[in-house]
Amino acid sequence: MPWFGRKKPAGDAPSLVVLAQRTLAERGVETTVDGHPDDPVHTRLLGADGQVYLLANLAVQVRGENEERRTAIVGTHFDRMLQAHREPAPEELDADELRDRVRLRLLAEDAADPTDLTYARPFAPGLVLGLCVDYPTMVSTLSTGSLPKLALGTDELWAMGRFNSDAEPVDANAEIAPGVLLVEGESLFTATKAVNLPALFGAAPFGTVFAVPHRHLLLAVPLRDADSVPAIQTLAGLLVRVLGDREAGLPGGLLSPHLMFSRHGQVSQVSTFDEATGELRIEVDERFQEALQEAVA
């Protein structure tokens, strides 16, 4: 996943809704359109077997691609989805399979997800932690009702989920500006690595300022010395740039538009964001102020 990558503009091509419906029909799946053919974000395809195919995430993947690439992306997407329908349900997995497949996942608290996540644990303002099962072709979010039916107890699920998410590979882990670190990857659990920042960046005794605008990206400034102060300003500017990049979009949807501050296992929000103006303002509370003073000293 390229950092702030740009794609070539697409030429004349059928709408994504038409292309998706045609692709499914070629695979023996007949669907009807629930919505408008020119609005894939709010349109669904309804299968005769009751399966619902959402297109919002697919719309992000194909944005700006030429017709050949769009067709290939859509085909691969539905091949994986149809294969996923043949995977065993989480309740059918044995204990060893669950230990291997369970993942911790950072989720927006107000995400439009029909899954019952009342068991989710708070992580930061606007963000919660849920549990998922990572299949070869899809990720299934566990619901509250499914947990008692699984082959592992809740405590072990959370422990193995964190271990496996920490171990997820990334495509990039680099310093992209003085003091500003980037972690990026195709894994849906890349942003979840914010739960264990020392595993990525080493010890940060004064804490770490970070941002998780979407599931594939983590930006961070570990507080180490006086140079960390201008690095936080740079981080804020990069976050605004990601949020405003309409061509690259926010894969999987917005996680959080804010800067967060993590220290001693406690995470707080240290910014406000005005969606109308695109302005982000850093807010320094007493806890954050203390950490900055210690780092500068």
Side-chain angles (χ1 to χ4, degrees):
M1 176 169 297
W3 170 238
F4 296 135
R6 286 290 191 272
K7 301 174 181 177
K8 296 180 180 179
D12 293 335
S15 75
L16 177 59
V17 175
V18 171
L19 177 58
Q21 188 176 35
R22 184 176 70 197
T23 301
L24 284 167
E26 290 170 352
R27 287 153 176 78
V29 180
E30 296 300 325
T31 59
T32 57
V33 177
D34 179 21
H36 194 281
D38 293 326
D39 182 15
V41 174
H42 301 101
T43 294
R44 307 179 303 169
L45 296 180
L46 307 180
D49 60 354
Q51 182 66 43
V52 177
Y53 300 91
L54 304 179
L55 304 177
N57 288 343
L58 188 56
V60 174
Q61 295 179 49
V62 303
R63 182 181 293 128
E65 299 287 4
N66 60 39
E67 186 172 359
E68 182 179 358
R69 282 284 299 150
R70 287 171 81 244
T71 301
I73 291 169
V74 172
T76 299
H77 174 83
F78 285 119
D79 284 341
R80 290 176 175 173
M81 182 173 289
L82 295 174
Q83 173 61 36
H85 294 166
R86 296 188 283 270
E87 297 285 358
E91 296 88 341
E92 298 173 8
L93 300 175
D94 63 32
D96 286 338
E97 289 174 317
L98 270 177
R99 290 187 185 99
D100 183 57
R101 295 189 180 190
V102 68
R103 299 288 189 276
L104 206 61
R105 184 169 175 186
L106 203 56
L107 300 162
E109 190 173 24
D110 60 355
D113 191 327
T115 305
D116 178 1
L117 293 172
T118 51
Y119 74 92
R121 297 179 177 180
F123 173 68
L127 295 171
V128 298
L129 290 167
L131 292 168
C132 298
V133 174
D134 188 24
Y135 293 96
T137 58
M138 72 163 186
V139 171
S140 175
T141 302
L142 295 177
S143 67
T144 301
S146 70
L147 296 186
K149 304 173 185 177
L150 300 178
L152 294 180
T154 302
D155 289 343
E156 188 171 2
L157 285 170
W158 284 103
M160 289 305 304
R162 175 165 175 169
F163 176 84
N164 289 333
S165 292
D166 284 349
E168 279 286 304
V170 299
D171 298 329
N173 184 349
E175 185 174 23
I176 59 171
V180 181
L181 306 177
L182 170 145
V183 177
E184 188 177 32
E186 291 290 341
S187 168
L188 302 186
F189 310 102
T190 302
T192 304
K193 291 177 179 291
V195 176
N196 190 4
L197 293 169
L200 284 174
F201 309 127
F206 308 121
T208 302
V209 180
F210 70 93
V212 282
H214 59 76
R215 64 193 185 188
H216 299 288
L217 181 63
L218 167 63
L219 299 166
V221 174
L223 303 184
R224 294 184 175 130
D225 51 35
D227 291 337
S228 298
V229 176
I232 294 170
Q233 294 287 349
T234 302
L235 172 60
L238 290 173
L239 175 58
V240 171
R241 183 179 168 190
V242 172
L243 295 172
D245 192 338
R246 296 185 179 277
E247 288 198 33
L250 297 168
L254 176 68
L255 265 185
S256 173
H258 297 295
L259 294 178
M260 304 289 178
F261 173 59
S262 175
R263 190 182 193 190
H264 304 321
Q266 182 180 351
V267 182
S268 57
Q269 181 180 310
V270 292
S271 73
T272 56
F273 183 78
D274 188 331
E275 293 186 7
T277 64
E279 179 182 355
L280 184 142
R281 183 175 67 182
I282 299 173
E283 294 191 336
V284 181
D285 59 17
E286 182 177 348
R287 177 170 164 269
F288 189 28
Q289 179 68 38
E290 179 182 4
L292 290 172
Q293 290 173 344
E294 292 176 7
V296 170

